Structure formats: structure tokens, C-alpha cells
Amino acid sequence: MDTFQVHILAADKTLYEGPCESLTIPTSDGEQGILAHHSGMMATVRTGTLRYRAPGQPVQLAAVSPGMVKVEGNEVLVLVDSAERPEEIDEARARREADEAREAILQKKSIQEYQLAQAALGRALNRLRVVKARGL
């Protein structure tokens, strides 16, 4: 299978850089699949599950938060606020964060606080989905 070069970068670390056979990214328009020689594009990354396959390896998962993706030539750059592999996620902490966000949503003190709580809940639930998907 043909490969392309991918750079998956979070604000605090490099998740993966190297050859890739396939990449699936959660974008504002839904999941976007990328293979070698994909046409050029830019898209907004939303909170969700990123999947990539390095040559000869199983599909790897990561919980990602908002950012952007750029495809140019046979190279892909993914820039996100955060990216965590399933083994890096503290499931108990993610559950607590989800519970706290749900409580904050019920409090609805201001529109801004509500939106922040909604975003926190989305991130926490996504982290839990990635942890659960690891076991499949």
C-alpha cells in the first residue's frame, strides 16, 4: 500500500511523525479519510477520535481536541490542542470530568459558562469513547 508522510502534533507533544497508510480525522464536516496522494485540502478538526495506520502496524487511536488539518502534496499536518492515546487516558479522571461538566451544565450561570461546560463534557466523553474503543 502507498504511504504518505504525516505529522500529528498537539500543543504539548508530538503524537506521531512518520509514514502512514491511512488517516481518519474528525472534522467539522464529519470524518475525513486520507490515503496516499490525497488532493490538497484544509479542514477544521473537531473533538473526536483520530485513527491512523503506520505501515505494518495495527490502527492506532487518539482522542483529539479542536485544531486543523492540512494536506499538501503527499504530506499531512494535523495540529490540535491535545491528543491522547488510550493508554494515556485516566478513565476515572475522565469520568469525574464528565460528571463535573454535567453538573456545570445544570447550573447554567451564564452562556459562556454553559458553552465551556459543554466543551468540557464533549472532551471527557470523547476520552472515554477512545478508552472503550481500545478494548474492542
Side-chain angles (χ1 to χ4, degrees):
M1 176 176 253
D2 279 349
T3 64
F4 56 94
Q5 195 66 18
V6 69
H7 310 272
I8 305 170
L9 309 174
D12 62 342
K13 68 180 176 186
T14 298
L15 182 78
Y16 176 75
E17 285 190 292
C20 193
E21 293 179 347
S22 66
L23 174 67
T24 304
I25 305 166
T27 70
S28 54
D29 294 328
E31 287 199 341
Q32 179 73 44
I34 297 172
L35 298 173
H37 312 293
H38 192 285
S39 59
M41 66 167 247
M42 287 186 74
T44 303
V45 175
R46 65 174 171 74
T47 298
T49 303
L50 177 143
R51 296 172 183 79
Y52 67 95
R53 181 189 302 270
Q57 300 294 316
V59 171
Q60 301 294 311
L61 303 176
V64 295
S65 61
M68 58 87 56
V69 58
K70 174 182 151 189
V71 180
E72 185 175 33
N74 207 28
E75 197 157 333
V76 178
L77 174 63
V78 179
L79 298 172
V80 292
D81 290 334
S82 67
E84 296 175 281
R85 291 182 174 90
E87 60 273 13
E88 298 171 335
I89 296 170
D90 179 340
E91 189 174 358
R93 184 176 135 217
R95 287 188 192 287
R96 278 193 313 275
E97 289 170 350
D99 291 342
E100 289 168 5
R102 284 186 186 101
E103 182 61 33
I105 288 169
L106 292 174
Q107 301 289 325
K108 317 182 234 192
K109 294 175 185 165
S110 73
I111 291 172
Q112 183 179 12
E113 288 175 331
Y114 178 79
Q115 291 170 337
L116 289 172
Q118 285 280 45
L121 178 59
R123 286 189 303 273
L125 293 177
N126 181 59
R127 294 171 77 222
L128 291 170
R129 275 192 299 273
V130 168
V131 168
K132 189 174 184 173
R134 172 184 59 183
L136 297 178

